[in-house]
């Protein structure tokens, strides 16, 4: 599980991995993937993992809720992300820099 593996590009909270990032370059494109553990992994899923993976997760990973000391849900994360990165999240920044349509933006219509 990627959250249990160390990485120089990880976001850490108290020395434990909170978010990770992966990049794959292709000749004509890049694939960028990230993961953020918002809540602790449910016990039913943990029970299906090998003991070594569970131990690594407990030692090396932390959820955003655990790090904040309160329950944080996905909607709160999305709202915070949109407030911080709104233009990027809507594809506006990519369009402004390249003129390439990423998707339809409700504010500007289809380009």
């Amino acid at each position: 599980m990627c959250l249990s593996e160390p990485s120089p590009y990880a976001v850490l909270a108290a020395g434990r991995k909170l978010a990770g990032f992966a990049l794959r370059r292709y000749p004509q494109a890049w694939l960028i993937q990230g993961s953020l553990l918002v809540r602790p992994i449910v016990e039913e899923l943990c029970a299906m993992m090998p003991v070594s993976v569970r131990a690594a997760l407990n030692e090396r990973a932390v959820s955003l809720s655990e790090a904040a000391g309160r329950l944080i849900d996905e909607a709160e994360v999305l709202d915070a992300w949109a407030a911080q990165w709104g233009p990027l999240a809507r594809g506006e920044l990519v369009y402004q820099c390249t003129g390439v349509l990423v998707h339809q933006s409700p504010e500007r219509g289809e380009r």
Side-chain angles (χ1 to χ4, degrees), residues 12 29 38 47 50 52 54-55 58-59 63-64 67 72 79 86-87 98 107:
L12 303 179
V38 177
S52 60
R54 278 185 294 192
N58 287 334
E59 180 184 326
S63 72
L64 184 58
I72 295 176
D79 288 345
T98 67
E107 293 84 20

Side-chain angles (χ1 to χ4, degrees), residues 4 16 46 49-61:
S4 66
R16 294 170 69 198
C46 284
M49 294 177 186
V51 173
S52 60
V53 173
R54 278 185 294 192
L57 281 171
N58 287 334
E59 180 184 326
R60 300 180 191 151

Side-chain angles (χ1 to χ4, degrees), residues 6-42:
S7 166
Y9 308 107
V11 176
L12 303 179
R16 294 170 69 198
K17 196 171 190 178
L18 178 67
F21 169 82
L23 171 70
R24 169 98 186 206
R25 293 186 302 175
Y26 294 94
Q28 300 297 320
W30 289 12
L31 173 62
I32 301 171
Q33 179 270 327
S35 58
L36 170 65
L37 187 57
V38 177
R39 300 184 220 189
I41 298 172
V42 295

